[in-house]
Amino acid sequence: MRLALSSILLAALLAGCGSGEPPRHDSAPWEEAAQEAAPVTGPERRILAFGNSLFAGYNLDADESYPARLENALRARGIDARVANAGVSGDTTAAGLQRLAFTLDAQERAPDLVILELGGNDLLRQLQPQETRANLARMLEILRDRDIPVLLMGMRAPPNYGPEYQAAFDALYPALAEEYGAELVPFFLEPVYDRPELIQDDRIHPTAEGIEALVAATADQVVAALPEPEPEPERELQPAR
């Protein structure tokens, strides 16, 4: 079973998933607004989207995934963004920790920003919050040691796990963001979790429209998390001959 997307969706998943193909979509708002997009200028900004099926684009076309739509949205704002999709469906925080350094080393250059989105599969497996916290903390340490800024995508636990579990899990993302100086989206799935029309028939993963809603709700925070680009060195003028 894949990632549980939220407290409500997780409860639905535990009760049993639906079946059928998710609806397909012929166009996207980013395409409709292409003529109004700002010209792309400035240095190239590399972003690594590191997560699970929410980034991998489960049951969607590659250009409908969150990283692909985010890149479109940033470029529509005039930012020369390149968003690498490092989402692996089914990944827990432990699995993410195992592949993080390798994934970073495989990049052409160090990313300007890493968007870290993991923890939902830990919820599905009812792993203890302290285990999730420890794995995320180690990933944040790796990124800090490499001087790479982070935007952490928070998740929330379902109430049927009990108040103690819920309180411990929900608190770990804000605490980690504060401890490691990461930017935070408190609940990544806030725009879609209570809107079934934005969820696929499996009652777990966002549709293409759901992905667009997530991008629209988080693009400002991604831009804010991007560090200022390094100024280009001034070129000395050569004396005329």
Side-chain angles (χ1 to χ4, degrees):
M1 196 61 64
R2 299 289 187 182
L3 168 72
L5 293 189
S6 70
S7 59
I8 293 178
L9 295 177
L10 178 59
L13 174 62
L14 295 175
C17 294
S19 60
E21 293 296 322
R24 309 305 303 165
H25 312 283
D26 297 327
S27 63
W30 310 122
E31 297 168 358
E32 296 171 2
Q35 294 182 348
E36 301 177 5
V40 175
T41 60
E44 183 179 79
R45 316 308 305 279
R46 300 272 182 117
I47 299 172
L48 181 66
F50 190 85
N52 48 41
S53 57
L54 292 175
F55 280 0
Y58 178 77
N59 220 15
L60 299 173
D61 292 337
D63 63 355
E64 294 175 327
S65 69
Y66 177 87
R69 290 301 191 199
L70 176 63
E71 180 177 299
N72 290 346
L74 297 179
R75 294 182 69 80
R77 296 181 180 208
I79 301 171
D80 187 5
R82 294 290 183 271
V83 183
N85 189 341
V88 174
S89 294
D91 256 12
T92 60
T93 55
L97 175 57
Q98 289 179 346
R99 67 183 176 93
L100 177 58
F102 174 82
T103 302
L104 292 170
D105 292 340
Q107 305 304 304
E108 292 181 5
R109 65 172 175 85
D112 298 294
L113 177 70
V114 167
I115 307 176
L116 182 57
E117 176 274 308
L118 286 167
N121 284 311
D122 295 44
L123 275 176
L124 181 61
R125 300 183 183 195
Q126 299 188 45
L127 301 180
Q128 289 303 305
Q130 57 265 33
E131 180 178 346
T132 301
R133 192 188 195 286
N135 291 330
L136 287 171
R138 182 62 189 128
M139 283 185 271
L140 289 167
E141 289 171 0
I142 291 171
L143 293 164
R144 181 184 61 187
D145 290 346
R146 296 186 183 222
D147 198 25
I148 300 174
V150 180
L151 175 61
L152 182 62
M153 298 302 202
M155 295 292 292
R156 291 181 184 165
N160 58 309
Y161 278 17
E164 292 184 3
Y165 185 104
Q166 185 179 24
F169 190 92
D170 291 1
L172 70 88
Y173 290 94
L176 287 170
E178 182 176 1
E179 180 177 352
Y180 290 94
E183 298 298 322
L184 175 68
V185 173
F187 182 30
F188 180 43
L189 296 164
E190 186 75 38
V192 301
Y193 83 97
D194 59 350
R195 299 180 63 187
E197 72 276 13
L198 298 181
I199 305 298
Q200 296 181 32
D201 288 345
D202 65 3
R203 293 187 287 173
I204 304 171
H205 297 91
T207 63
E209 283 96 344
I211 293 295
E212 290 163 8
L214 293 175
V215 170
T218 57
D220 284 345
Q221 289 160 291
V222 172
V223 173
L226 272 171
E228 291 293 327
E230 294 289 335
E232 295 184 4
E234 294 184 4
R235 302 172 64 181
E236 294 184 5
L237 294 176
Q238 298 298 322
R241 294 184 178 180

